[in-house]
Amino acid sequence: MPAITLVGAQWGDEGKGKATDLVGNRVDYVVRYQGGNNAGHTVVIGDQKYALHLLPSGILSPDVVPVIANGVVIDPAVLFEELRGLQERGVTTERLLISANAHLIMPYHRALDKVSERFLGKGKIGTTGRGIGPTYADKISRAGVRVQDTFDPKILRKKIELALNDKNQILTKVYNRRGLDAEQIIEEYLGYADLLRPYVADTSLVLNQALDEGKNVFLEGSQGTLLDIDHGTYPFVTSSSPTSGGACAGAGIGPTRITKVIGILKAYTTRVGSGPFPTELLDEQGEWLRQQGGEYGVTTGRNRRCGWFDAPIARYATRVNGITDFFLTKMDVLSGLERIPVCVGYDVDGERWDEIPMTQTDFHHATPIYEYFDGWNEDISHVRSFDELPKNAQAYVRTLEEMSGAQISAIGVGPGRDQTLELRSLV
Ligand code: GDP
Ligand code: IMO
Ligand code: MG
C-alpha cells in the first residue's frame, strides 16, 4: 500500500489537522516530517477540541502509530507537556515513535529567534518565536543537537559547550543579552534521555517496512507551500520544506512510495506573520472573514491576515507539490456574500501575470485581478453531499477546481470531523 502526503497549499492553517483526523481510521501511520511546535493543528471531535503543535494529528486515532520523523525539530519540554495534556484527556500516547535523528530545539535557539526578530524591527519575519529558524540553521551548519545525543552524555556535553562558545558571544556581544549557562542546559537535556528512550526508533526503517507489508503511511505536512524555504515567499517563510518533496527527506522514504498528494486549500486565503499577500483585505471585509472564519492563530493567538482566494497560488501549489487531490476547506465561512471575488492573475507595474511572478520584487508589487462569482446565503454547515450545496456554491467549487489544476475531492463545511463532503475517497 502507498504513502500519501498531505500539504498546505497556501500560507498554513488551511485545515490540515482536520483533514488528517478525518482519514485517521483508514491509515496505519501518521507522520510529521518537518517543522516543529510552530504548527498549530486543530482537530474537533464531537464537543472536544484539540490543538496539536508537535504531535501528529493521528495520535487522536486509537489504531494509528503516530511518528515524529527525522525532519522535525523537537522542543522536548513542549513535547512532554503536549503528551501530558493529551494523557490527562484520556488519549493513549504510548504508540508514538520519534526519530533518533530529529534535531532538538535548545534554549539558545529560542533566545536567538526572539532577539533577532526584535532587532529586525519593521523588517521582522513575524516568526512564532519557538526557535525554529535557529535550530534548522544549526542543523544545516552541522552544529545541531539530535535526539540520539541525549543518550551519550559525553557527546551532548561537547556539543552544548561548543554551541554556547559561539551563541553566548552573539547573545552578549551582538544583542546585549545575558549568556546561557552550559551546565544548566546539559543537565536539563540529559534529563530528557530516559523520557525520550521509550519512543525513539529508526523511523525510516519502520516506515519502509510498514510500506513493504502493505500498510498505509500518511505524511502530515505542517505550514504550507508558500512558507517553504525554497518555494515560498522568501525570506518571509519558515525554515523547513513543507512541500511534498520535503516529505521524502523528512521521513526517509523514497519518492516512488508516494502515490497521492493531497493539497489542503482554504476557500479564501489567510496568512500569519509578515510578507507579501496580494489579496489581503485591510478593510471591514477582511475583518468579516476573520470573524466568520475564526481566523486567530492556534499557536500565537495572533490575528490572521485575511483575503480572497488566489488562483495562481493554488496552481503554483499543484505544480510544486504534484498535488493530485484538493481538500477545499471552510466553504461554510463564505455563506452570506452577494458576490465572491477570486484572484485570477496579477497586475505587476502595469503588466499582467497569470502565474506567480518569478521575483519577490514583482510579487511585492502584484495587485490582484479579480473575477466575481455569485454567492449564496444558505447556511451549508449541515450539508453532507455536493448535490445539496446551493447551485452557486457548487459553481464556486467547480471554478476553483478548474483554476487550481487538480480535482477537488473533499469539501469542508465546518470544523467537525463529520462536516465534510468526500466527493471521492481521500485514502
Ligand atoms: P492547520 O494548521 O492547517 O491544521 O489549520 P488550523 O487548525 O491552524 O486552522 C484551521 C481552523 O479552521 C481550525 O480552527 C479548524 O477547526 C477550522 N476548520 C477546518 N476546516 C474547517 C471547515 O471546513 N469549516 C470551518 N468553519 N472551520 C474549519
Ligand atoms: P500550521 O502547521 C501559519 C509562519 C509564522 C511566520 C513564518 C516563520 O499550523 O499551518 P517560524 O516560527 O516558522 O520561523 O515562522 O511562518 N508560520 C505559520 N503560519 N501556520 C503555521 O503552521 C505556521 N508555522 C509558521 O507566522 O510568518
Ligand atoms: Mg495551524
Side-chain angles (χ1 to χ4, degrees), residues 336-359:
L337 290 166
E338 200 175 317
R339 52 181 210 155
I340 310 174
V342 169
C343 169
V344 296
Y346 310 107
D347 180 306
V348 180
D349 301 325
E351 197 182 332
R352 182 179 170 129
W353 286 72
D354 292 322
E355 303 297 335
I356 294 188
M358 186 179 75
T359 69

Side-chain angles (χ1 to χ4, degrees), residues 9 13 16 68 83 94-95 110 145 156-157 185 205 207 239 252 256 269 280 285 294-295 305 379-380 393 397 416:
D13 303 327
K16 296 177 292 292
I68 297 179
L83 282 170
E94 306 85 66
R95 306 168 326 273
R110 288 193 300 268
V145 179
L156 186 74
R157 166 172 292 277
I185 300 176
L205 179 65
L207 293 173
S239 298
T256 47
T269 314
E280 180 172 20
Q285 281 201 299
E295 297 296 353
R305 301 158 64 191
D379 172 6
I380 58 170
V397 172

Side-chain angles (χ1 to χ4, degrees), residues 11-17 38-42 52-53 222-223 272 296-299 304:
W11 275 289
D13 303 327
E14 299 91 347
K16 296 177 292 292
N38 48 349
H41 296 180
T42 316
L52 300 164
H53 298 285
S222 49
Q223 290 79 51
V272 197
Y296 307 96
V298 181
T299 299
R304 292 178 181 154

Side-chain angles (χ1 to χ4, degrees), residues 293-418:
E295 297 296 353
Y296 307 96
V298 181
T299 299
T300 57
R302 289 177 288 180
N303 279 2
R304 292 178 181 154
R305 301 158 64 191
C306 298
W308 301 122
F309 187 84
D310 188 320
I313 285 179
R315 264 200 304 282
Y316 180 75
T318 303
R319 204 156 69 228
V320 300
N321 293 295
I323 288 171
T324 56
D325 299 74
F326 275 117
F327 189 143
L328 184 69
T329 61
K330 298 201 132 175
M331 267 294 281
D332 53 303
V333 173
L334 297 181
S335 289
L337 290 166
E338 200 175 317
R339 52 181 210 155
I340 310 174
V342 169
C343 169
V344 296
Y346 310 107
D347 180 306
V348 180
D349 301 325
E351 197 182 332
R352 182 179 170 129
W353 286 72
D354 292 322
E355 303 297 335
I356 294 188
M358 186 179 75
T359 69
Q360 279 301 299
T361 307
D362 282 346
F363 197 48
H364 274 276
H365 293 185
T367 55
I369 298 169
Y370 286 119
E371 277 182 20
Y372 296 86
F373 298 88
D374 290 332
W376 59 92
N377 278 318
E378 296 88 332
D379 172 6
I380 58 170
S381 59
H382 302 290
V383 166
R384 291 295 175 270
S385 77
F386 187 76
D387 295 338
E388 287 172 63
L389 284 175
K391 286 284 169 277
N392 289 344
Q394 293 187 14
Y396 185 73
V397 172
R398 290 301 172 219
T399 301
L400 264 43
E401 182 166 54
E402 209 171 291
M403 291 178 175
S404 303
Q407 61 192 5
I408 291 176
S409 295
I411 299 168
V413 293
R417 205 182 242 185
D418 59 329

